[in-house]
Amino acid sequence: MDFRDIHLIVCVHGLDGNSADLRLVKTYLEIGLPTINFEFLMSQRNQGETFDSLETLTERLINEIENFVSTLKSIPTKIR
């Protein structure tokens, strides 16, 4: 992988969770794979609203990802 490539990791909390739930996953990936150019989106959009319909939750998450990607200097080559 070329260092300029961006690997976007989208961390999404579970039912009744929050954006800090997966912070250790972020830390482990950064420490374990220091040569990878990671960008992390710690999803916040559905915090406090996790009991809404799956369609609503999905729409909010997609919008959050699209907005986040639009702020990056280049398009991610991988999204997970």
Side-chain angles (χ1 to χ4, degrees):
M1 175 189 269
D2 186 9
F3 185 73
R4 293 181 311 258
D5 291 341
I6 295 174
H7 191 146
L8 175 60
I9 306 293
V10 180
C11 295
V12 181
H13 57 80
L15 189 64
D16 208 22
N18 66 60
S19 62
D21 289 349
L22 297 170
R23 66 187 178 279
L24 288 177
V25 171
K26 177 182 185 283
T27 300
Y28 289 140
L29 286 171
E30 290 172 326
I31 291 170
L33 300 166
T35 61
I36 305 298
N37 189 18
F38 286 121
E39 283 288 338
F40 288 88
L41 168 56
M42 306 306 280
S43 180
Q44 298 178 27
R45 181 55 189 95
N46 287 311
Q47 259 178 216
E49 300 173 323
T50 60
F51 290 96
D52 289 347
S53 73
L54 286 177
E55 292 81 12
T56 299
L57 296 170
T58 301
E59 185 176 321
R60 287 185 198 137
L61 178 60
I62 290 170
N63 288 335
E64 183 177 25
I65 293 169
E66 289 174 340
N67 289 336
F68 183 81
V69 168
S70 73
T71 67
L72 298 174
K73 292 182 181 182
S74 62
I75 300 296
T77 53
K78 292 185 181 182
I79 299 176
R80 295 183 194 258

